């Protein structure tokens, strides 16, 4: 990129930040993980985002979150590997249908609002 000023032209590096979908899954006890939400985010701090979202939605208390990890499911393509996290919670949690959630998501690319990044 070239910046034009009154004094000179200055060449600078042009940096872009990407957004990618993040699917948040919740595992309660011995039950298999269930999708809770898909949102767009700038990659990084995914575990904090997932845990914070669950607490904000009232689906988990801060002390009930025992682990957050990226999913390693066989049905995930390599490019999806870091776009799905599972949050393990102690006790039970009732996940509402995604349209009953207090959160809303939108994206010009149309990814937000999907039930899964896999399907």
């Amino acid at each position: 990129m070239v910046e034009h000023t009154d004094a000179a032209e200055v060449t600078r590096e042009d940096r872009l930040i990407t957004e990618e979908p993040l699917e948040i899954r919740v595992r309660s006890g011995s039950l298999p993980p269930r999708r809770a939400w898909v949102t767009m985010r700038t990659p990084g701090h995914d575990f904090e985002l997932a845990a914070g979202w669950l607490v904000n939605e009232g689906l988990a208390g801060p002390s009930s979150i025992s682990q957050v990890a990226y999913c390693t499911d066989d049905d995930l393509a390599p490019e999806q590997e870091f776009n799905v996290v599972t949050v393990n919670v102690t006790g039970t949690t009732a996940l509402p249908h995604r349209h009953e959630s207090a959160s809303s998501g939108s994206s010009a690319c149309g990814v937000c609002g999907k039930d899964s990044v896999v399907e």
Side-chain angles (χ1 to χ4, degrees):
M1 168 176 109
V2 178
E3 178 182 347
H4 298 275
T5 67
D6 290 338
E9 290 183 356
V10 180
T11 302
R12 299 187 188 275
E13 182 180 2
D14 193 9
R15 296 182 183 185
L16 299 175
I17 297 177
T18 62
E19 279 194 326
E20 294 184 13
L22 177 68
E23 179 175 317
I24 300 169
R25 298 179 182 176
V26 178
R27 176 183 291 126
S28 179
S30 62
L31 298 173
R34 290 186 51 213
R35 282 182 220 110
W37 192 250
V38 177
T39 188
M40 292 297 286
R41 93 313 187 184
T42 302
H45 301 283
D46 294 334
F47 297 170
E48 295 88 343
L49 174 63
W53 182 84
L54 287 170
V55 170
N56 180 67
E57 290 296 308
L59 299 173
S63 62
S64 71
I65 297 173
S66 60
Q67 180 184 25
V68 184
Y70 288 109
C71 292
T72 57
D73 296 354
D74 291 335
D75 63 339
L76 294 176
E79 63 272 7
Q80 297 167 332
E81 184 176 337
F82 295 105
N83 289 339
V84 181
V85 297
T86 298
V87 181
N88 292 342
V89 297
T90 58
T92 59
T93 185
L95 294 178
H97 185 274
R98 66 184 178 93
H99 294 298
E100 296 170 357
S101 174
S103 291
S104 63
S106 67
S107 172
C109 71
V111 172
C112 276
K114 284 193 169 190
D115 285 332
S116 172
V117 298
V118 179
E119 297 171 351

